Amino acid sequence: MTNESTNSGTPSDEPSSRPADESVTGTGPAAQPANGSAAPQDAEPATAAGDADAETVRFGTRAEVESAATAADAETVRFGTRAEVEPPAEKRAPEPPAAGNLRPSDAPVLGPRPVHRPQIDSLTARAFRRPKGQGGSFAPRPAAAAAPAGDLEPVNRPPDAVLAEAFGRPAGSDELLQRDPDAANAEAGAPAAPADPWRDPEAGARLGLPAVPPTAQAALGAAPKLTAREVLFGDRVSPRALVVLGGLAAGVGLAAGVIGGFFGGLTASPVLTSRKVTIQQESAPGKPHSQVAKVADAVLPSVVSISEIVGDQGASGSGVVIDGGGYIVTNNHVISMVAMDTSGKGKITVTFRDGTKTPATLVGRDPKTDLAVLKVEANNLTVIRFGKSDDVRVGDDVLAIGSPLGLKETVTSGIVSALHRAMKETPEPGDDTAGAYDAVQTDAAINHGNSGGALVDSEGRLIGINTAIISDSGGSVGLGFAIPVDLVQRIAQTIIRDKVVYHPWLGVSAKSQAVENDALSGAQVADVNAGSPAAKAGIAEGDVIVKVGDRQINDPAELTVAVQSRQIGETVTLSVIRDGRQVDIPVTLESDKDAPAPPK
């Protein structure tokens, strides 16, 4: 950028743009002339005696020095450059440093570096120069407010009334937003715009008209449409030749289709469908059915599906008809949700084999054996036949019948895997079942929903009520357990007669413990209830019970089952290990009616 202002030979009236400590001494190189040629390096500093009017041209700037007698410092008027004329060193008095200036007064100061202007070739100048007659990047702004012909001048619409009221000037005020509120002598009115906004660093950006107006292009007329022959071949092929080519192409396509169809028929796969094939079936009216089929056909009408609903929750299981008056036995955990409901909104529904659904009423239940009895109002019921536990042997064929996973009338077969398997169920949230019994173990598939269903022998007699499984996956792995039929008969009979069932009570809680060098295990007493039969007999915490009567005890489950298999008021001998010695202690069992209620 160049400075186009000039001085008329008089000293400059503007103050120096450098502080006093930035004056250039005569020891530096001479200033560069205006024509760009450098002064000789050995040129002496100019003095007032030699040059009365010394000037330095730097990017179009000029500094004037009046004389050495009246000016110890010469000033540069524009862009911070300075030329200095000094008297000889022997005549110059040392100047004291300015306040705050740490630079010695006699320190040398280099002059301005010569400006390097690269040579521009004619082709580059011709390509990037301004058009002839143009002195700037934009055309002069037209004086008239009207927009040029053919262009639209943007016009700001008046502001909305709400915005004008909120952000407009107060009535009678002519203050401007750009006025300096701290200026002491601010002049009223808008500040005068600079003569050249390009030289004003505070000037705002604005768009002007282009220096060279664009030339309008003439509108193109509609072009004639091309024919298919012109598009494909131009004008090089005649219409007759096109007809001949089309005929040849059709002939070649037809011949290719005939040949392809012929060879395709030779290599095609044979036809796979036929309307002449009829699949025949054979009937066997005299074919004898297996014993499993006969037993299933006889037992299925006496096995029902049971569903319970409390609000938006529900569960399902199975049951067995045990009396023609409508009594049905099932597991306590199948109906415990309704039994524990205090709102009275729970419902139990029984579904028979023929699809008939009947509401059921809970007669009674026994959480300690996981059994419950329901009653329905129905006629012509098929009642199951009861067997005896003493007749069951390991290896006997059995069928498990019920509704696993909601699949009604499901029959699975297996054998009796074991007998007298001590099982003890643990209460869960929403289910108070704590059954303890000598279970019949079977490998017949039992799944969720089989609970309460029948386990029958090869003659169709009930030998157990399917109750539980042991599985890591939650499905059947061949370890199913059923409550033995003798216990089912006794508990169901008691519920139908008395509605409640009471059991013998010992009054201890125990855990598994090995004794006698791990050769013997038993149930170690962890707690004795005050006033219980065990406390009255002198059983203490830490005693390990290894036998109840003649039954060997290996874990707490066997202790619970052994006690519940006795009668209320019966005196039984308990063998315990105390301080390494075996002690026999007689205990008279009492009714659990007087036992403290278990924690909920």
Side-chain angles (χ1 to χ4, degrees):
M1 185 178 295
T2 61
N3 183 0
E4 297 181 1
S5 64
T6 59
N7 294 330
S8 57
T10 62
S12 172
D13 294 333
E14 296 183 10
S16 173
S17 60
R18 290 180 180 232
D21 60 329
E22 293 186 4
S23 62
V24 181
T25 64
T27 60
Q32 182 176 346
N35 57 7
S37 60
Q41 296 296 329
D42 54 352
E44 295 293 331
T47 62
D51 284 322
D53 188 15
E55 63 177 12
T56 300
V57 179
R58 184 79 166 88
F59 287 71
T61 63
R62 174 175 299 176
E64 294 184 1
V65 180
E66 294 180 355
S67 65
T70 60
D73 260 342
E75 296 179 343
T76 301
V77 180
R78 289 289 185 179
F79 291 92
T81 62
R82 175 176 297 183
E84 223 174 78
V85 178
E86 300 179 347
E90 59 274 8
K91 297 181 180 182
R92 184 179 60 199
E95 297 181 0
N101 184 17
L102 300 180
R103 180 178 179 182
S105 59
D106 57 347
V109 178
L110 299 180
R113 180 179 298 177
V115 178
H116 172 69
R117 294 187 177 183
Q119 183 67 26
I120 302 176
D121 59 280
S122 59
L123 296 178
T124 303
R126 185 183 306 168
F128 295 99
R129 67 185 179 185
R130 294 191 181 97
K132 293 182 178 180
Q134 297 295 331
S137 301
F138 296 95
R141 187 174 183 85
D151 293 337
L152 296 178
E153 181 72 15
V155 177
N156 294 333
R157 64 180 179 85
D160 296 336
V162 176
L163 297 179
E165 181 180 357
F167 300 100
R169 295 191 185 94
S173 174
D174 57 354
E175 293 186 355
L176 299 177
L177 293 179
Q178 295 181 350
R179 178 183 62 81
D180 185 4
D182 298 331
N185 300 322
E187 298 180 359
D196 187 358
W198 286 97
R199 299 185 182 277
D200 182 12
E202 302 297 333
R206 68 179 184 181
L207 297 178
L209 298 177
V212 180
T215 57
Q217 296 183 356
L220 300 177
K225 295 183 179 180
L226 301 177
T227 62
R229 181 172 66 92
E230 292 175 340
V231 172
L232 296 176
F233 307 103
D235 293 332
R236 293 173 295 176
V237 181
S238 63
R240 179 178 301 177
L242 288 177
V243 174
V244 174
L245 289 176
L248 290 176
V252 172
L254 180 60
V258 173
I259 296 174
F262 175 75
F263 286 101
L266 295 179
T267 59
S269 60
V271 179
L272 300 179
T273 59
S274 175
R275 296 182 178 273
K276 300 179 180 180
V277 176
T278 302
I279 299 175
Q280 301 294 334
Q281 292 179 285
E282 293 184 2
S283 61
K287 175 182 176 293
H289 295 288
S290 66
Q291 184 65 19
V292 173
K294 294 178 181 179
V295 173
D297 188 59
V299 176
L300 276 172
S302 62
V303 180
V304 299
S305 297
I306 300 175
S307 63
E308 63 169 347
I309 297 177
V310 178
D312 57 352
Q313 297 181 347
S316 62
S318 305
V320 180
V321 179
I322 59 175
D323 184 77
Y327 291 102
I328 297 173
V329 67
T330 185
N331 284 135
N332 176 73
H333 68 263
V334 172
I335 52 84
S336 61
M337 187 185 302
V338 173
M340 299 177 66
D341 177 48
T342 58
S343 65
K345 298 181 180 180
K347 296 181 180 180
I348 301 176
T349 304
V350 172
T351 304
F352 293 92
R353 185 183 185 187
D354 60 359
T356 303
K357 293 184 178 181
T358 305
T361 303
L362 177 62
V363 178
R365 64 195 186 102
D366 182 25
K368 290 188 176 181
T369 57
D370 197 7
L371 289 172
V373 175
L374 308 176
K375 191 175 188 304
V376 296
E377 298 296 332
N379 299 321
N380 301 322
L381 299 179
T382 301
V383 180
I384 199 166
R385 295 184 298 155
F386 274 72
K388 291 186 177 181
S389 297
D390 292 340
D391 297 333
V392 180
R393 296 291 182 270
V394 175
D396 287 348
D397 293 329
V398 292
L399 299 181
I401 305 175
S403 303
L405 306 177
L407 303 175
K408 302 175 183 178
E409 304 179 25
T410 298
V411 179
T412 57
S413 63
I415 63 171
V416 175
S417 304
L419 294 172
H420 305 292
R421 185 73 74 189
M423 294 292 297
K424 184 178 181 181
E425 302 176 59
T426 304
E428 298 178 356
D431 182 10
D432 60 351
T433 301
Y437 45 85
D438 273 325
V440 178
Q441 180 177 324
T442 178
D443 65 350
I446 296 177
N447 291 282
H448 297 288
N450 272 120
S451 295
L455 183 69
V456 300
D457 60 13
S458 58
E459 298 298 327
R461 292 174 298 207
L462 182 70
I463 65 171
I465 295 296
N466 301 319
T467 302
I469 62 173
I470 294 179
S471 173
D472 293 334
S473 63
S476 175
V477 292
L479 294 175
F481 303 92
I483 302 174
V485 65
D486 287 0
L487 182 60
V488 173
Q489 188 271 341
R490 179 168 64 87
I491 298 300
Q493 188 72 59
T494 304
I495 292 176
I496 293 173
R497 289 179 180 177
D498 304 327
K499 196 175 182 178
V500 294
V501 180
Y502 296 107
H503 298 277
W505 174 51
L506 179 61
V508 298
S509 59
K511 61 182 179 179
S512 298
Q513 178 65 40
V515 293
E516 296 185 1
N517 298 327
D518 295 336
L520 182 65
S521 61
Q524 185 180 34
V525 177
D527 185 35
V528 179
N529 294 333
S532 65
K536 295 176 182 179
I539 295 177
E541 295 182 9
D543 290 347
V544 180
I545 302 174
V546 295
K547 187 180 291 187
V548 176
D550 296 332
R551 179 165 181 166
Q552 190 72 33
I553 305 300
N554 296 313
D555 52 43
E558 289 189 349
L559 175 61
T560 304
V561 172
V563 171
Q564 288 189 182
S565 64
R566 298 288 176 165
Q567 300 297 322
I568 298 175
E570 180 181 357
T571 300
V572 61
T573 300
L574 273 62
S575 297
V576 302
I577 303 297
R578 178 181 295 174
D579 298 331
R581 297 181 304 163
Q582 182 170 334
V583 181
D584 294 336
I585 302 175
V587 179
T588 300
L589 302 176
E590 300 178 4
S591 173
D592 60 357
K593 179 180 180 180
D594 302 325
K600 296 183 179 179

